[in-house]
Amino acid sequence: MDKKDEIILQQLDVIRSMTERNLRSVNSDFWGTPLSPAEKLGEKAAPKTPDKTPGRAPEKKSGGPEQPSEAPESLPKEDMKDLLAELDGYIGLQTVKEEVHNLINMASVYQLRRQHDLPTTDMSLHLVFTGNPGTGKTMMARMMARIYRSLDILSRGQLVEVDRSGLVAGYVGQTAIKTQKVIEKAMGGVLFIDEAYALNGRSENDFGQEAIDTILKAMEDHRDDLVVIVAGYTDLMDRFIHSNPGLESRFNRFLLFDDYTTDEMVEIFRMQCKKGCYQLTEEAQPLIRDYIAEESADDSFGNARGVRNLFEHVLVAQNNRLAAMEKITREDLMTITADDVLRARGKVD
């Protein structure tokens, strides 16, 4: 191997490290998680160990729904001003943010009346999130858990995310046990059930109804320390809630998550760039907008999740361009060019 080959291999290793770092920063939430100080400096991350920080749940080990962890610790209470600032800083979701503000005001007054020994009416904090994939439903469920914890409505404030497979078993009597274990993990926090309509019986021998009955009982028995949020496509969720009187009586607040506009998705892409320490050249900026507008015309695009996928495609194109260069600067590693965007779109061979 000659000197030039060694240099190329070193450059490829740098590119690979940068790519892995930036893709790690893209979380299931469309804005991703904040980078650590070491990652911001481009340093190699140390091997991960289980997070022992008080109030933080272990990270998910897979890309699927978050699996309930053993005895999650209580999250620290946060300043409501900080939470509201974060909420208002979310891109889009204007109607949802207004409804969340209403919920916060209602819950705050409810708590004050209790503190002053004044009578209170039953307040249902269980929610139905409706909308297409990638519109921020999971992110907002996590925010609601933090808000309810900070208002002392929930004792721990963790989010436990499941779908049908995490609740329904295959044999008689097992579903109630499986669902109860999930509920125990969610106690003191929020149980978030994605695509909840899938619990509706698919046949006479389906055990989804057993899971629903177990959840409804837990909502009644633990009304003071358990919040349930169900989510899914708008029409399917509407039919699901109105298919059962027990569901109708407990879920009376619906939050509709609208699809993002092209401008909002462009803003999300820019935020991904900012978090990953990337800069778009002037020529690349209108091409990104065209790319998002073209791809999002497909109903299966996935809103913010689709933006995340486009972001990754652009990074692949940038990495391929850098790999062909003999000398790579820090600025090169941070720059996304028009050529990168065109190659990601398949407009350039």
Side-chain angles (χ1 to χ4, degrees), residues 167-187:
L167 298 170
V168 179
Y171 300 96
V172 175
Q174 290 186 336
T175 291
I177 296 172
K178 187 174 184 178
T179 301
Q180 188 59 42
K181 287 182 178 179
V182 172
I183 291 169
E184 289 172 3
K185 302 299 185 301
M187 284 301 304

Side-chain angles (χ1 to χ4, degrees), residues 1 3 28 47-48 66 74 82 95 97 119 126 130 137 141 175 188 195 211 216 246 280 283 285 332:
M1 180 183 297
K3 187 67 175 177
S28 56
K48 288 190 176 182
E66 191 171 299
S74 299
D82 294 336
T95 302
K97 288 188 284 191
H126 309 298
T130 65
K137 295 186 291 294
T175 291
E195 297 183 347
L216 289 176
L280 292 168
E283 295 79 8
Q285 293 181 27
D332 290 330

Side-chain angles (χ1 to χ4, degrees), residues 123-126 148 153-156 158 160 180 182-192 214-229:
M123 180 178 62
S124 176
L125 297 174
H126 309 298
Y148 288 156
I153 291 172
L154 294 174
S155 61
R156 292 194 288 179
Q158 79 281 12
V160 174
Q180 188 59 42
V182 172
I183 291 169
E184 289 172 3
K185 302 299 185 301
M187 284 301 304
V190 170
L191 173 60
F192 179 72
T214 304
I215 292 166
L216 289 176
K217 185 177 187 304
M219 291 168 68
E220 182 65 27
D221 294 345
H222 306 286
R223 63 175 66 184
D224 293 332
D225 206 21
L226 176 67
V227 169
V228 179
I229 298 176

Side-chain angles (χ1 to χ4, degrees), residues 60-75:
K60 292 186 289 185
K61 294 183 179 180
S62 69
E66 191 171 299
Q67 296 301 314
S69 58
E70 291 298 327
E73 299 180 10
S74 299
L75 293 178

Side-chain angles (χ1 to χ4, degrees), residues 15 40 48 65 74 112 160 211 255 258 269 320 330 346:
I15 295 169
K40 287 180 180 178
K48 288 190 176 182
S74 299
L112 287 172
V160 174
L255 272 65
D258 291 319
F269 190 97
N320 290 337
R330 177 182 175 84

Side-chain angles (χ1 to χ4, degrees), residues 202-244:
R202 298 174 178 174
S203 66
E204 292 183 1
N205 298 321
D206 186 86
F207 303 115
Q209 186 59 47
E210 187 177 353
I212 294 173
D213 293 340
T214 304
I215 292 166
L216 289 176
K217 185 177 187 304
M219 291 168 68
E220 182 65 27
D221 294 345
H222 306 286
R223 63 175 66 184
D224 293 332
D225 206 21
L226 176 67
V227 169
V228 179
I229 298 176
V230 291
Y233 289 104
T234 303
D235 292 342
L236 293 174
M237 287 304 300
D238 186 66
R239 288 201 293 271
F240 170 67
I241 295 299
H242 296 302
S243 70
N244 184 309

Side-chain angles (χ1 to χ4, degrees), residues 77-88 100-101 103-105 107-108 143 146-152:
K77 291 197 290 184
E78 301 174 63
D79 189 299
M80 283 304 299
K81 290 182 180 178
D82 294 336
L83 286 172
L84 289 172
E86 181 179 337
L87 173 68
D88 292 336
V100 172
H101 274 280
L103 270 171
I104 292 171
N105 293 336
S108 299
M143 169 60 77
R146 293 163 60 194
I147 289 171
Y148 288 156
R149 168 64 182 135
S150 298
L151 290 173
D152 281 325

Side-chain angles (χ1 to χ4, degrees), residues 121-141:
T121 57
D122 286 340
M123 180 178 62
S124 176
L125 297 174
H126 309 298
L127 300 167
V128 182
F129 287 178
T130 65
N132 291 323
T135 48
K137 295 186 291 294
T138 303
M139 176 203 66
M140 193 59 71

